[in-house]
Amino acid sequence: MTAQAAVPAPQVPKKKIPIGLVAGLLALIIVLMLPMPADLPPAGHRMIAILAFAVVVWITEAVSYEASAIMITTLMAFLLGTAPTIKNPEVLYGTSAAISMALTGFSNSALALVTGALFIAAAMTFTGLDRRIALVTLSRIGTSTTRIMIGAIAVTIVLSLVVPSATARSAAVVPIMMGVIAAFGVDKRSNIAAGIMIIVAQATSIWNVGIQTAAAQNLLTKGFMEKMLGDRVSWAEWLIAGAPWSVIMSVVLVFIVLKLLPPEADNIAGGKEAVQAELDALGPMTGPQKRLLGVSLMLLMLWATEKSLHNFDTTSTTYFGLVLLLLPRFGVMTWKDVQSRIPWGTVIVFGVGISLGTALLTTQAGQWMGNQVVTHTGLDHLGPLAIFAILSAFLIVIHLGFASATALTSAMLPILISVLATLPGEFNRLGMTMLLGFVVSYGFILPINAPQNMVCLGTETFTAKQFARVGIIITIVGYLLMLVFGATYWRWLGWM
């Protein structure tokens, strides 16, 4: 009896260490080896090194954002833990105090608001209310290509009010718009299809500016305001400041898309009927959808009347809404229903992002970098509008290297707030922070600059080149319009 020949085990290909991770570690080591300025504490020096590592890893996307968050937390624990404290250089922080510092972001109300917002977005998807709202809105628009494009923006605006997640909104709208495109009977690579899908992506970013609860980076900005400036901007104040810009830019967006991607036909029979057919297939509103809509409208009213009819902050009112949605019998979901729909990685990244920004200030690294910026740029000799123009341009350019507005906010906003705190003169630092928070949403040029862009790119209806052609014009017009608003409307509101 012959023995069977041994079958060799399949060779598992070895994964190479990402170049971006190596570059991040080199950036960390290089900064640590640089001569330490006399006015920068050792702990601050190490935090700048950790920031350099984070920026390189985020820009290169060498590892997932969740993995990078854990790496940043570990670096803070050991590098800060072996650094002397600010108050007494003879005493080290110790890893226990350092890891606590690395986790402070998880006790911030902004993180709680983001988590609550993700639950509401999950409830919308679970009950199908987001899809129903989108279809109802589209069914009221019309069948011309221009009307369909306006309808796509209208859907985005409505969902921005009740679905506090840009990615979730895009995920709800894209399948519907693809159905509309199919009903038109046009090629997936037609100008009509490209124009509609580009509008969905760009309008989502435009309305991230206008509505405070529309995007995670806005909530992170709100958290830094409260932590660093001791004040907050209410939901209604943000809307009054940002929505007019978003309305004008929505009109500009449709005009630009129609010019750069002229539709093959002006009117497509069957588009409205296709939407109505999908809406009819859904049947009447279910009980959970009605209750979720009622809670969403209640939250909108509470958010909009903060500081005018009541002093309940946005986070507290949002959690009251969540209690109603999770109540037995009345609620629309259970924990098991939505736990798999929550991107918990986003929560981790958000918390570590707040911790990173807070630690930059606690160790005086943020203040030191702010002083360096002011000293070497001459910002201290400029007026508020010129300061806003320069810092906004900086954020727009650097955003090209970031695939996450949340990561961009975590890395840069604490430094910019420190710059504003260092500058002399009388101007509204809280307002200027909010306006710079608007600019963080400028993910218009590259598809990789925002998750909603990538969702739309996945439909293969447009190319990155088409997206960039529209996005560059949107960026330039939007930037110039913000300067006009800074000189007029926002100055009249007292934000400059």
Side-chain angles (χ1 to χ4, degrees), residues 118-407:
L118 292 174
F119 265 91
I120 293 173
M124 285 281 175
T125 306
F126 176 71
T127 61
L129 182 59
D130 53 354
R131 181 174 175 80
R132 182 178 294 277
I133 290 172
L135 287 169
V136 168
T137 306
L138 280 174
S139 69
R140 304 285 191 270
I141 300 302
T143 57
S144 72
T145 49
T146 303
R147 281 178 174 266
I148 290 294
M149 289 178 179
I150 294 171
I153 293 178
V155 168
T156 299
I157 296 171
V158 173
L159 290 180
S160 294
L161 292 169
V162 294
V163 182
S165 166
T167 309
R169 293 198 301 277
S170 299
V173 174
V174 163
I176 297 168
M177 299 313 300
M178 287 301 290
V180 172
I181 291 168
F184 287 173
V186 295
D187 186 80
K188 201 163 75 166
R189 283 290 192 181
S190 65
N191 283 354
I192 290 176
I196 289 174
M197 211 51 65
I198 287 174
I199 279 178
V200 171
Q202 302 285 28
T204 300
S205 294
I206 285 172
W207 281 93
N208 281 349
V209 173
I211 298 172
Q212 186 186 78
T213 49
Q217 63 265 23
N218 297 349
L219 306 181
L220 186 53
T221 299
K222 181 174 179 285
F224 281 135
M225 286 177 178
E226 295 179 4
K227 187 76 176 179
M228 300 174 65
L229 300 173
D231 203 351
R232 69 179 189 270
V233 175
S234 71
W235 189 91
E237 289 171 333
W238 188 294
L239 184 75
I240 291 169
W245 180 91
S246 295
V247 169
I248 295 172
M249 288 307 300
S250 296
V251 176
V252 171
L253 175 61
V254 172
F255 178 80
I256 291 171
V257 168
L258 289 174
K259 286 294 181 182
L260 294 183
L261 298 166
E264 290 83 357
D266 294 328
N267 194 74
I268 313 294
K272 188 173 182 179
E273 288 78 5
V275 172
Q276 190 60 49
E278 286 196 53
L279 189 57
D280 292 340
L282 291 180
M285 282 189 74
T286 63
Q289 288 178 343
K290 291 178 182 178
R291 295 194 293 276
L292 176 57
L293 180 61
V295 171
S296 299
L297 293 175
M298 178 200 72
L299 287 176
L300 272 179
M301 184 179 67
L302 289 171
W303 293 340
T305 54
E306 182 187 349
K307 291 188 177 180
S308 56
L309 296 182
H310 64 86
N311 288 319
F312 302 128
D313 66 284
T314 308
T315 305
S316 300
T317 53
T318 300
Y319 269 67
F320 173 66
L322 286 184
V323 169
L324 297 178
L325 296 178
L326 288 166
L327 280 176
R329 296 182 65 84
F330 177 84
V332 304
M333 59 187 180
T334 65
W335 178 269
K336 288 185 177 180
D337 292 330
V338 296
Q339 65 176 349
S340 61
R341 299 170 186 266
I342 303 293
W344 296 106
T346 299
V347 177
I348 293 172
V349 173
F350 201 92
V352 172
I354 296 175
S355 299
L356 183 66
T358 304
L360 284 169
L361 299 175
T362 305
T363 60
Q364 298 182 13
Q367 295 88 325
W368 182 83
M369 286 188 286
N371 283 324
Q372 298 306 304
V373 171
V374 173
T375 303
H376 294 96
T377 60
L379 284 178
D380 51 338
H381 300 300
L382 301 177
L385 184 61
I387 293 169
F388 174 65
I390 292 172
L391 296 182
S392 296
F394 166 75
L395 280 175
I396 290 171
V397 171
I398 201 170
H399 197 164
L400 293 173
F402 280 84
S404 165
T406 305

Side-chain angles (χ1 to χ4, degrees), residues 25-95:
L25 290 171
L26 285 175
L28 174 81
I29 294 168
I30 289 170
V31 174
L32 287 174
M33 292 178 66
L34 289 174
M36 191 169 62
D39 55 343
L40 177 64
H45 185 196
R46 297 184 183 192
M47 273 310 304
I48 294 175
I50 294 171
L51 177 64
F53 168 83
V55 169
V56 172
V57 170
W58 286 338
I59 287 177
T60 60
E61 293 191 280
V63 295
S64 67
Y65 285 103
E66 296 83 356
S68 69
I70 296 172
M71 291 176 184
I72 291 166
T73 303
T74 306
L75 286 172
M76 289 175 66
F78 286 98
L79 289 181
L80 289 184
T82 54
T85 62
I86 304 296
K87 291 182 179 179
N88 186 359
E90 301 297 323
V91 178
L92 300 181
Y93 277 104
T95 53

